[in-house]
Amino acid sequence: MHWLLTLDTHLFLFCNRSLVNPFFDWLMPILSGSDGAKTALVATGIAIGIALLCFGNARARVCVLMTILIVGSNDGLVCNTLKHAVGRARPFVRLPEARLFGQVGKGYIPPEFNAQGVNMAASKGSHNSMPSSHAANMFAATMALFLFYRKSLRFMLPLALAVCFSRLYNGVHYPSDVLAGALIGSGYAAAVAIALEGIWQFIGKKWFPEAHARLPQLVPNLPIGRAKPVAGTGAAGVMI
């Protein structure tokens, strides 16, 4: 395990210090939502979501609602619970050589060991590091959109990876934090989508047959609920 922690630290310092350049110093805080960028990005997302809810088709509306449910519950329930359970200190808490938003050592908090030898400073407020909520939320949104619109991956995956890198560059997460966040976010999104699709197939057919007939699948790219072709027919049930 020691070599994994050492590798994690070395990869962090490489991204955080060795790749420093003026363009990244400007771009990476924006990708992380600093300096008012988060407000602008959230406002843009809300505007797009409202437009799709008002003027989009059934697929677009279900996609928006499911993405909101997945990202909201993932951030507030899953990630926050894990952060407090793991209690890992952020890199800038433990590493005085770390750059936090471009400044070496800014925000460094020296260890505060109690009688049991536990570093109390590591668990204060936003100093919990594992997993990365930014990574989890971005990959949860990426997976949710991918399940509805395959081509969205061309835009969402590079954006999600860029946000993950910004967390390393800005000094607030280790590589393992963003990797864990990405796996948790994408896995959680897939699990919720599968669960909701299964519930819809059971409840929709039984209690809302008319609505189910109009919307036979909540998530179009899941195999759950698809009509099985009759022997000797094609996928659409047409004789071949």
Side-chain angles (χ1 to χ4, degrees):
M1 288 298 295
H2 177 71
W3 71 270
L4 284 175
L5 294 175
T6 301
L7 177 62
D8 205 23
T9 301
H10 286 335
L11 287 174
F12 164 77
L13 291 174
F14 174 74
C15 297
N16 180 248
R17 298 197 54 138
S18 299
L19 300 180
V20 170
N21 63 79
F23 177 68
F24 279 3
D25 282 346
W26 168 80
L27 178 62
M28 295 306 155
I30 293 176
L31 289 174
S32 282
S34 303
D35 299 327
K38 181 178 181 179
T39 301
L41 292 173
V42 170
T44 302
I46 291 175
I48 294 174
I50 292 175
L52 290 174
L53 287 174
C54 293
F55 306 107
N57 56 20
R59 175 187 285 199
R61 291 171 180 171
V62 173
C63 177
V64 170
L65 294 175
M66 191 173 292
T67 301
I68 293 173
L69 173 64
I70 288 172
V71 175
S73 59
N74 175 69
D75 187 27
L77 181 63
V78 179
C79 287
N80 283 339
T81 300
L82 289 174
K83 281 191 181 208
H84 287 90
V86 176
R88 184 187 196 186
R90 292 186 186 271
F92 70 84
V93 175
R94 293 188 180 276
L95 305 174
E97 67 270 32
R99 298 171 68 252
L100 179 62
F101 296 135
Q103 298 184 33
V104 176
K106 179 183 177 182
Y108 173 68
I109 299 176
E112 298 175 11
F113 294 105
N114 61 12
Q116 288 73 39
V118 178
N119 180 12
M120 303 302 293
S123 61
K124 288 184 177 179
S126 64
H127 295 143
N128 292 324
S129 184
M130 169 71 81
S132 167
S133 294
H134 280 69
N137 292 336
M138 285 302 302
F139 271 87
T142 299
M143 176 61 76
L145 292 174
F146 174 72
L147 291 174
F148 285 86
Y149 302 99
R150 294 297 201 211
K151 292 183 179 180
S152 67
L153 196 67
R154 300 176 184 177
F155 168 76
M156 287 300 299
L157 183 58
L159 178 60
L161 292 173
V163 170
C164 288
F165 176 77
S166 76
R167 306 306 285 164
L168 308 179
Y169 190 89
N170 293 334
V172 292
H173 281 295
Y174 293 98
S176 58
D177 297 336
V178 298
L179 177 60
L183 293 175
I184 290 169
S186 55
Y188 178 74
V192 171
I194 291 172
L196 291 177
E197 183 65 51
I199 292 172
W200 176 243
Q201 293 307 320
F202 177 76
I203 294 179
K205 289 180 180 179
K206 186 176 181 180
W207 294 345
F208 308 101
E210 294 183 3
H212 188 274
R214 293 194 300 269
L215 188 66
Q217 277 192 285
L218 283 181
V219 186
N221 290 316
L222 283 179
I224 300 175
R226 288 181 180 173
K228 296 180 180 180
V230 179
T233 67
V238 180
M239 293 297 294
I240 55 175

